[in-house]
Amino acid sequence: MHYRFDIVIIGGGVVGSSIARELSRTTASVAVLERNPDVVDETSGRNSAVVHGGFAYDRGSLKAKLCVEGNRMMGALSEELGFPFVRCGKVLVGNTDEDLRTLENTIKQGYDNGASGLSLIDSAKLHELVPAVIGSFAMFSENSGILDPFLYTIHIAENAHENGVEYFLSHEVSSIAKKDGRHFISAGDDTFEADWVVNAAGLGAKAISDMLGIEGYKVIGSKGNYLVLDKTLGPLLPMPVYPVPSNTYMGIHVTPTVDGNVTVGPDAINTDDFSYYGVPADKMEYLRESASSLWPHINKKDVIRTFSGILPKWVDDNGKIQDFRIEIRDDIDSMAVNLIGIESPGLTAAVPISRMVFSMITERGQFQMKTDWNGHHDKPFRFSDADDKTLICSCENVTEEEIVRAIHNPLGVHTLSGIKYRTRAMMGRCQSGFCHMKIEHLIERKCGIRAEDVRYMRPGSWVLAGKMRECNGK
Amino acid sequence: MENRGIVVIGAGPAGLAAAVKLRRLGAEDVLVIERENETGGILRQCIHDGFGLERFGKSISGPEYAALLKSEAEELGIECLTGTSVLEISKDRTITAASPSGVVEIHAEAIIAAAGCRERSRGSIMIPGERPAGVYTAGTAQAYMNLYNRMPGRNAVILGSGDIGLIMARRLTLEGAKVSAVFELQDHPNGLERNIVQCLDDYSIPLYLSHTVTEIHGKDRIEGVTVSAVDGNLRPIEGTEKYYSCDTLILSVGLIPDNTILEKAGVEIDPSTNGAVVDEHLMTSIPGIFSAGNMLHVHDLADFASAEAEAAAENAFLYASGKLDTGRNLSVVPGEGVSHTVPGRITGHGPFTASLRVRKKERGKTVEVRQGGKILGYRFFPLVIPSQMISVDAEAAAGCENVEVIVR
Amino acid sequence: MKKIYTCIICPRSCELEADILPDGQVSVSGNGCPRGAEWIRNELSDPKRTIASSVLVEGGEKEIVSVRLSSPVPLRMIFPIMDEIRRVSAKAPVSIGDIIIRDVLSSGADVIATSSVLAKKE
């Protein structure tokens, strides 16, 4: 089919969807093309889920500026968009004189970047904050926090959709042609004709940039592996604990999640395979050993699963990691906004990034604002809201009603992983052992999908071969 | 909040047997809480026979065993709340549960926790490799086939030679799926010999001991596994990797007593079983809370889980009548050759029976229960294997030293 | 060819060595009692098995009902019996013990329901 939009955004993750949401304030027609079946399948759903303080980035960089802005607004944003966020603080733990100097410089850098709430604390105060930590002193960033990256991204996307943005999931862009000042984007079996194109494709951004004619960017993938620990460990970790940082890599840290699990990681290995998310055996052991010197409660028996994420890092010819690149290249295409290298702190900075893109676009044309734009998204329907509290997932206390509501989500995602990210079902100790079949059965019934057509995530991820006994007595 | 008599959590072979026993003992108010919409527990999906030989004198299937218990329970007028999941138990025995009518609070005079076990997952054994669909624990695959009429796949490889994995090898084969092989990490099979013969040998499915899956391949749906031989320390041996193509990986890598609610209540848990530490009365460290069946330690036969639950019922009844001898004075620990033993504590005031599993297969051994130099009980076994729970009766431990269970 | 078998008659679980001789006889050693020798001879000449499976249900609250054989049948009949089990369906309501296929393939065993399925409410 041939579609026509004023603005097409390539990439439906947290950045692409935030941009869509901002642009939906105007009366322009906006579409999001997302190559995966859901908006959280790549980097937006595979990260540390930390809201950064803004001290770890070079002075004057976009990363620093947009991170600090994002951090400041996160409380209000989480209220507006109904996603879990806890401003729990964070400690960067040190032991040596060199560590101390690094932390002092980090605090200075932070204040120069506009961050606040940074202080050096001694062992006593450190152990008051995190009794189980191993360390002599630390920098305490009281404004750092943690959020639920799935609900954050999904609620932004759903709100954009609510405000008129059309989402085309499972639409990977294969080519972009230009004619008469307009873009013709091929994605899936469809063509999208658009005045403006925004490249928010994350791991796919370099390829899209090339398609736009903006060539020459070098983007490497930095793969980070994580261990996920059982919820019994949550109470032992009131806030993220990091070792002394560098400007290129955060270090193996331990981070509580908003639901009470603990993640250990990430490490950082360069990769050019942007679709391989396996976690190698030696990395699992390395993570456990390395982080145990910081927080000694990492035991094999408490690991419920592992996962990995890949960050797109823009590097120069010497491999040095660059800042965010958010540009319009008038010499090549004056109606394309190109976002390259949106890695950490992209999650924290998503809305400030999107406001920057909003300004870049709207100052160049005649855009009218809607009068009925509503940026509010309800909090997720949870256990306490249900009348019938029969549980489908007893590990995470998810009722049938929550599952059914998640199945009927506005973006039309009907995969098992889509239900997982929206409800937390399947994320518990038993790792879907007891609820997988119940959820699959609900998807079949409520969506009218045959067993062999139900998917876990992407089109090739069939879950069942079919019925065992068919009606014709096969 | 409701005040009830004795509450049983779980309506499987343990829970139902306990409830029936309680009524037969004369307990007037017995309530069973079950999170599924039907009773029977895991028996509902265990359609193979082999159940009931001890308890009913005949070899029947899981659902039939459950139906017999269920009709006994119905005849005795035992109330059962289905679709009701226990969220929390307090130390004073107040149960908070999620039910079809909302959150309910029930105070019990005594509680028998018999909510079974869960399966060890891919995530928790951290098999490296990609995360495709098609990796199922044996119980999940069994539920799909036997309860939901769905085929998990058509070309499977099985990791783990426990009974559930073996049963599923046969089940899949009989339904026209290909089962290429069963791989077992240990150097001995985990399940009953009968099942090796009737589930693998009968269908020419090879069993490779001392092997494990070292990588999973396939981005969206599993395409194959890399299997390696392992050494004496169970570590993969470099250079022995072999690729097996498959569209399904069945994991039968361990059952873990599911004690989340007891842990939250502060009950002492035995790290070697993952079940509660109980005394010879099957009472946990919280007075009036008892545990039995697979939630206490994983059994080989449902019949024994039922028998253990009946013992818990006797003691729970005594407790509720104020007649139970409490006092957890001595520890009972697994010693040489013993993997774990239940009870983990005893009052020291009366005889008890140690139920245990040995670490390795041995012939012609005596298992002893000793307190220091004194032997409290012993039993000779022509053959002991880890996959078969055994028991040794012991007399009262008069001294004040801890008790040890060893293989001579 | 000599092979080792673990006897399943009693908990002694004797390890038997059994060898099918050219004349068809089976030589057994290592058995702790005569029952073991008898067991392995039967196993090697005409092993019998019982299986469990599922039968499609028409008009029931559930799609299938679990079934098993009422008595063991020769191993070689298992797959033909599975074909029969796949061919038939049972009309709801089904009760435990209902005979779904009587004397399946003249084996002497019935295919019996091991769970119950109520008729679907209209």
Side-chain angles (χ1 to χ4, degrees):
Chain A
M1 270 192 69
H2 190 101
Y3 295 91
R4 216 212 155 300
F5 287 95
D6 295 327
I7 309 172
V8 165
I9 299 165
I10 302 173
V14 69
V15 173
S17 288
S18 289
I19 295 170
R21 179 170 174 264
E22 289 303 312
L23 290 167
S24 75
R25 293 173 190 270
T26 73
T27 53
S29 58
V30 182
V32 169
L33 307 182
E34 165 55 50
R35 69 178 171 188
N36 293 294
D38 203 348
V39 293
V40 286
D41 291 342
E42 291 186 40
T43 312
S44 300
R46 298 168 169 282
N47 51 70
S48 307
V50 172
V51 176
H52 294 293
F55 47 79
Y57 316 103
D58 292 336
R59 288 170 177 79
S61 64
L62 274 178
K63 283 178 179 173
K65 174 172 179 286
L66 299 173
C67 177
V68 167
E69 277 178 39
N71 181 297
R72 276 197 207 119
M73 66 169 55
M74 201 54 81
L77 203 60
S78 74
E79 278 301 311
E80 194 185 16
L81 284 164
F83 61 86
F85 162 64
V86 182
R87 201 178 287 280
C88 52
K90 174 181 171 182
V91 287
L92 278 76
V93 177
N95 295 288
T96 64
D97 284 338
E98 203 194 318
D99 288 344
L100 187 57
R101 276 195 294 280
T102 306
L103 290 180
E104 284 166 347
N105 287 331
T106 304
I107 292 180
K108 270 182 71 215
Q109 183 171 259
Y111 279 124
D112 288 345
N113 287 339
S116 59
L118 308 173
S119 58
L120 272 175
I121 58 174
D122 61 10
S123 175
K125 176 76 177 163
L126 171 61
H127 290 94
E128 201 188 293
L129 291 174
V130 188
V133 74
I134 299 170
S136 315
F137 51 83
M139 181 190 97
F140 176 44
S141 168
E142 66 184 47
N143 289 319
S144 296
I146 54 177
L147 50 61
D148 180 327
F150 313 113
L151 291 178
Y152 175 42
T153 305
I154 290 166
H155 286 193
I156 288 173
E158 287 183 348
N159 184 248
H161 177 264
E162 167 90 6
N163 282 297
V165 174
E166 279 189 58
Y167 271 76
F168 294 86
L169 300 173
S170 299
H171 273 71
E172 176 151 22
V173 171
S174 48
S175 66
I176 302 177
K178 299 183 201 192
K179 203 174 129 177
D180 302 330
R182 283 206 294 281
H183 301 92
F184 292 80
I185 306 158
S186 293
D189 293 329
D190 302 313
T191 310
F192 297 84
E193 195 185 323
D195 297 332
W196 279 94
V197 173
V198 177
N199 174 12
L203 288 169
K206 182 213 154 38
I208 303 295
S209 185
D210 286 347
M211 285 183 210
L212 287 169
I214 309 171
E215 291 165 312
Y217 279 111
K218 191 158 144 58
V219 174
I220 58 167
S222 175
K223 183 162 175 283
N225 300 297
Y226 297 79
L227 308 176
V228 180
L229 305 182
D230 188 87
K231 280 182 172 179
T232 44
L233 280 313
L236 294 171
L237 190 67
M239 66 183 66
V241 172
Y242 283 39
V244 170
S246 73
N247 271 7
T248 51
Y249 165 41
M250 290 287 181
I252 309 286
H253 45 261
V254 283
T255 309
T257 71
V258 293
D259 302 291
N261 294 96
V262 169
T263 63
V264 179
D267 52 354
I269 321 271
N270 289 347
T271 178
D272 50 19
D273 183 348
F274 291 2
S275 64
Y276 180 82
Y277 286 110
V279 179
D282 56 341
K283 297 287 170 268
M284 298 180 197
E285 187 46 35
Y286 167 71
L287 289 172
R288 198 191 63 77
E289 257 188 66
S290 175
S292 291
S293 56
L294 204 49
W295 185 74
H297 292 290
I298 307 168
N299 298 305
K300 262 201 184 144
K301 70 170 180 65
D302 297 316
V303 176
I304 60 174
R305 71 174 289 130
T306 60
F307 75 94
S308 66
I310 304 173
L311 298 176
K313 289 185 192 264
W314 171 31
V315 294
D316 66 12
D317 289 328
N318 298 320
K320 184 161 177 287
I321 298 173
Q322 306 296 295
D323 193 9
F324 288 159
R325 173 65 110 205
I326 303 173
E327 66 179 0
I328 297 179
R329 288 286 299 272
D330 283 306
D331 54 325
I332 298 174
D333 187 333
S334 57
M335 307 265 290
V337 183
N338 204 25
L339 291 93
I340 300 285
I342 311 300
E343 50 137 343
S344 185
L347 197 70
T348 307
V351 172
I353 290 174
S354 66
R355 291 191 178 167
M356 190 172 152
V357 173
F358 176 88
S359 300
M360 286 163 83
I361 293 179
T362 54
E363 71 198 9
R364 284 165 176 251
Q366 307 286 67
F367 288 87
Q368 274 188 306
M369 295 298 142
K370 285 184 180 139
T371 48
D372 60 347
W373 188 81
N374 182 1
H376 175 85
H377 190 297
D378 284 340
K379 284 195 166 62
F381 185 91
R382 285 284 184 254
F383 177 80
S384 47
D385 303 307
D387 293 322
D388 179 343
K389 296 198 196 288
T390 311
L391 298 182
I392 295 279
C393 166
S394 344
C395 292
E396 299 291 321
N397 292 351
V398 185
T399 59
E400 181 168 329
E401 190 172 351
E402 287 170 75
I403 305 272
V404 173
R405 278 172 184 251
I407 288 176
H408 293 309
N409 66 84
L411 297 178
V413 178
H414 293 142
T415 57
L416 278 152
S417 64
I419 306 303
K420 178 170 88 156
Y421 296 130
R422 285 161 177 77
T423 63
R424 282 197 56 84
M426 303 169 65
M427 285 195 186
R429 254 185 204 187
C430 87
Q431 287 291 292
S432 83
F434 283 120
C435 69
H436 196 283
M437 40 293 186
K438 297 182 186 187
I439 296 172
E440 189 280 335
H441 193 64
L442 279 169
I443 293 176
E444 273 189 50
R445 269 181 30 220
K446 301 291 178 186
C447 303
I449 301 178
R450 295 178 315 165
E452 54 267 45
D453 295 330
V454 174
R455 294 293 176 265
Y456 178 73
M457 202 186 239
R458 280 175 299 264
S461 63
W462 56 275
V463 168
L464 298 168
K467 284 192 181 181
M468 189 174 69
R469 296 274 176 274
E470 300 273 9
C471 287
N472 59 5
K474 234 176 30 191
Chain B
M1 176 163 89
E2 259 191 283
N3 281 310
R4 300 298 299 257
I6 306 182
V7 175
V8 179
I9 302 174
L16 285 177
V20 164
K21 182 72 175 182
L22 284 168
R23 288 287 282 149
R24 294 204 194 283
L25 287 168
E28 281 182 20
D29 182 15
V30 178
L31 174 68
V32 180
I33 298 180
E34 166 57 51
R35 70 181 180 187
E36 295 294 326
N37 290 328
E38 288 172 30
T39 56
I42 206 68
L43 294 172
R44 296 185 304 135
Q45 64 186 61
C46 297
I47 65 173
H48 48 283
D49 69 310
F51 298 89
L53 268 169
E54 301 284 329
R55 189 178 179 84
F56 299 111
K58 47 184 178 170
S59 177
I60 53 179
S61 65
E64 289 167 283
Y65 185 107
L68 287 172
L69 277 176
K70 185 173 173 209
S71 57
E72 273 186 87
E74 273 166 8
E75 275 168 44
L76 293 165
I78 296 172
E79 186 187 348
C80 185
L81 289 179
T82 53
T84 303
S85 306
V86 173
L87 300 171
E88 219 164 73
I89 308 179
S90 70
K91 284 190 164 62
D92 71 342
R93 297 187 305 278
T94 300
I95 297 168
T96 307
S99 81
S101 52
V103 174
V104 297
E105 264 190 5
I106 299 167
H107 181 264
E109 286 168 18
I111 297 174
I112 300 177
C117 58
R118 65 174 191 274
E119 296 183 281
R120 198 169 262 123
S121 67
R122 180 240 166 125
S124 88
I125 61 170
M126 298 191 282
I127 305 178
E130 298 175 276
R131 283 75 204 311
V135 179
Y136 289 112
T137 52
T140 303
Q142 187 182 55
Y144 261 122
M145 293 178 77
N146 299 347
L147 299 178
Y148 288 85
N149 186 30
R150 299 290 183 266
M151 281 298 280
R154 299 241 179 260
N155 184 357
V157 154
I158 301 181
L159 176 62
S161 64
D163 286 320
I164 314 180
L166 301 177
I167 298 276
M168 287 314 292
R170 176 174 62 192
R171 187 79 172 106
L172 285 162
T173 304
L174 289 177
E175 288 307 326
K178 176 162 161 45
V179 178
S180 308
V182 175
F183 299 101
E184 166 57 52
L185 178 71
Q186 306 283 348
D187 61 2
H188 55 265
N190 237 305
L192 300 171
E193 181 63 28
R194 180 180 118 120
N195 286 332
I196 304 284
V197 170
Q198 299 189 2
C199 300
L200 300 188
D201 295 345
D202 281 358
Y203 304 100
S204 305
I205 298 171
L207 168 64
Y208 297 100
L209 299 174
S210 300
H211 276 73
T212 193
V213 172
T214 48
E215 196 175 342
I216 291 177
H217 304 276
K219 202 157 87 124
D220 298 322
R221 175 78 190 195
I222 185 169
E223 286 165 19
V225 293
T226 299
V227 175
S228 304
V230 299
D231 61 21
N233 294 318
L234 306 183
R235 298 214 160 281
I237 302 170
E238 226 180 279
T240 63
E241 298 84 12
K242 266 214 184 99
Y243 181 80
Y244 285 82
S245 91
C246 63
D247 69 16
T248 308
L249 173 62
I250 304 285
L251 299 175
S252 176
V253 293
L255 296 175
I256 308 170
D258 208 348
N259 279 283
T260 312
I261 43 170
L262 292 186
E263 277 170 35
K264 282 203 321 208
V267 162
E268 186 189 355
I269 303 291
D270 179 349
S272 66
T273 57
N274 222 68
V277 176
V278 295
D279 62 14
E280 71 265 36
H281 304 130
L282 300 175
M283 194 166 83
T284 68
S285 58
I286 294 183
I289 301 182
F290 298 78
S291 186
N294 277 359
M295 190 173 184
L296 176 60
H297 53 161
V298 177
H299 287 260
D300 310 313
L301 287 185
D303 303 57
F304 294 142
S306 298
E308 185 174 76
E310 287 178 324
E314 283 168 11
N315 293 305
F317 184 67
L318 285 174
Y319 178 86
S321 322
K323 297 193 184 115
L324 189 67
D325 169 22
T326 58
R328 296 154 63 85
N329 302 322
L330 301 169
S331 285
V332 181
V333 295
E336 176 75 37
V338 174
S339 175
H340 49 257
T341 182
V342 170
R345 290 233 194 278
I346 46 174
T347 60
H349 303 155
F352 65 99
T353 303
S355 299
L356 62 131
R357 287 188 191 272
V358 300
R359 286 193 185 282
K360 56 189 178 102
K361 174 178 176 176
E362 289 183 287
R363 290 196 173 272
K365 289 287 174 184
T366 303
V367 177
E368 283 178 4
V369 180
R370 6 174 12 113
Q371 183 177 36
K374 180 159 184 240
I375 297 181
L376 302 173
Y378 67 92
R379 203 168 143 195
F380 174 80
F381 295 92
L383 175 71
V384 289
I385 45 177
S387 59
Q388 193 161 58
M389 191 186 291
I390 52 179
S391 59
V392 178
D393 296 326
E395 61 188 42
C400 48
E401 267 178 84
N402 285 334
V403 174
E404 207 190 8
V405 182
I406 63 163
V407 176
R408 223 136 192 1
Chain C
M1 201 190 66
K2 259 195 194 154
K3 253 187 91 180
I4 310 255
Y5 301 88
T6 305
C7 180
I8 58 169
I9 293 284
C10 84
R12 279 175 77 178
S13 307
C14 301
E15 269 186 3
L16 312 171
E17 223 177 59
D19 196 6
I20 307 181
L21 302 170
D23 63 358
Q25 298 262 47
V26 180
S27 92
V28 184
S29 63
N31 51 310
C33 79
R35 293 200 304 161
E38 194 196 324
W39 168 77
I40 191 62
R41 288 200 170 94
N42 282 335
E43 260 296 292
L44 292 175
S45 59
D46 189 25
K48 288 217 167 59
R49 300 287 183 258
T50 174
I51 52 155
S53 188
S54 314
V55 163
L56 195 65
V57 173
E58 284 172 34
E61 282 186 338
K62 302 198 183 136
E63 291 177 21
I64 52 174
V65 66
S66 55
V67 297
R68 66 174 168 87
L69 297 178
S70 57
S71 56
V73 301
L75 177 58
R76 61 192 145 72
M77 293 192 74
I78 295 295
F79 278 105
I81 288 176
M82 277 305 305
D83 286 338
E84 293 302 299
I85 287 174
R86 268 192 281 270
R87 270 189 335 104
V88 304
S89 59
K91 267 207 176 63
V94 181
S95 305
I96 295 186
D98 282 358
I99 298 178
I100 309 294
I101 307 175
R102 194 175 294 277
D103 190 20
V104 62
L105 294 180
S106 307
S107 61
D110 300 328
V111 174
I112 57 172
T114 53
S115 52
S116 54
V117 177
L118 300 171
K120 204 186 277 193
K121 299 191 241 296
E122 285 310 317

Coordinates of all heavy atoms in Angstrom, one line a residue, chain A residues 60 63 66 74 141 211 248 256 317-318 322 348 359 371 373 386 448:
Chain A
G60 N 29.8 20.3 28.1 CA 29.4 20.9 26.8 C 28.8 19.9 25.8 O 28.4 20.3 24.7
K63 N 25.1 14.9 25.3 CA 24.8 13.9 26.3 C 24.6 14.5 27.6 O 23.6 14.2 28.3 CB 25.9 12.8 26.3 CG 25.9 11.9 25.1 CD 27.1 10.9 25.2 CE 27.0 9.9 24.1 NZ 28.2 9.1 24.0
L66 N 21.4 17.1 27.7 CA 20.0 16.4 27.5 C 19.8 15.4 28.7 O 18.6 15.2 29.1 CB 19.9 15.8 26.2 CG 20.1 16.7 25.0 CD1 20.1 16.0 23.7 CD2 18.9 17.7 25.0
M74 N 12.1 13.9 35.0 CA 11.6 12.5 35.1 C 10.4 12.3 36.1 O 9.5 11.5 35.8 CB 12.7 11.5 35.4 CG 12.5 10.1 35.0 SD 12.0 9.9 33.2 CE 13.6 9.9 32.4
S141 N 25.0 10.4 44.2 CA 24.2 11.2 43.3 C 22.7 11.1 43.7 O 22.1 10.1 43.4 CB 24.4 10.7 41.9 OG 23.4 11.4 41.0
M211 N 21.1 5.6 3.6 CA 19.9 5.6 2.7 C 19.5 7.1 2.4 O 19.1 7.4 1.3 CB 18.7 4.9 3.2 CG 18.8 3.4 3.2 SD 17.3 2.7 3.7 CE 17.9 1.1 4.4
T248 N 33.8 6.6 29.1 CA 33.4 5.7 28.0 C 32.6 4.5 28.5 O 32.0 3.8 27.7 CB 34.7 5.2 27.3 OG1 35.6 4.7 28.2 CG2 35.3 6.4 26.5
P256 N 19.2 -2.2 41.3 CA 17.9 -2.7 41.6 C 16.9 -2.3 40.5 O 17.1 -1.3 39.8 CB 17.5 -2.0 42.9 CG 18.2 -0.7 42.9 CD 19.5 -1.0 42.1
D317 N 37.5 7.8 13.6 CA 38.4 6.8 13.0 C 39.3 6.2 13.9 O 39.9 5.1 13.7 CB 39.2 7.5 11.8 CG 38.3 7.8 10.7 OD1 37.3 7.1 10.4 OD2 38.5 8.9 10.0
N318 N 39.6 6.8 15.1 CA 40.4 6.2 16.1 C 39.6 5.3 17.1 O 40.2 4.9 18.1 CB 41.2 7.3 16.9 CG 42.1 8.1 15.9 OD1 42.7 7.5 15.0 ND2 42.2 9.4 16.1
Q322 N 32.0 9.2 20.4 CA 31.5 10.6 20.1 C 30.3 10.9 20.9 O 29.7 10.1 21.6 CB 31.3 10.8 18.7 CG 32.5 10.4 17.8 CD 33.7 11.3 18.1 OE1 33.6 12.5 17.8 NE2 34.7 10.7 18.6
T348 N 17.4 8.3 29.6 CA 17.1 9.4 30.4 C 16.8 10.6 29.6 O 15.9 11.4 29.9 CB 18.4 9.7 31.3 OG1 18.8 8.6 32.0 CG2 18.1 10.8 32.3
S359 N 11.8 21.2 17.9 CA 12.1 22.5 17.6 C 12.8 22.6 16.2 O 12.5 23.5 15.4 CB 13.1 23.1 18.6 OG 12.5 23.1 19.9
T371 N -5.3 21.7 19.7 CA -5.9 22.2 20.9 C -6.3 21.1 21.9 O -6.5 21.3 23.1 CB -7.1 23.1 20.7 OG1 -8.0 22.3 19.8 CG2 -6.8 24.4 20.0
W373 N -4.5 18.2 22.4 CA -3.4 17.2 22.6 C -3.4 16.9 24.1 O -3.6 17.7 25.0 CB -2.0 17.8 22.3 CG -0.9 16.9 22.4 CD1 -0.5 16.0 21.4 CD2 0.0 16.7 23.5 NE1 0.5 15.2 21.8 CE2 0.9 15.7 23.1 CE3 0.2 17.3 24.7 CZ2 2.0 15.2 23.9 CZ3 1.3 16.9 25.5 CH2 2.1 15.8 25.1
A386 N -7.9 -5.0 39.9 CA -8.8 -6.1 39.5 C -9.8 -6.5 40.5 O -9.5 -6.5 41.7 CB -8.0 -7.3 39.0
G448 N -8.2 -14.6 18.3 CA -8.6 -15.5 17.2 C -7.5 -16.0 16.4 O -7.6 -16.1 15.2

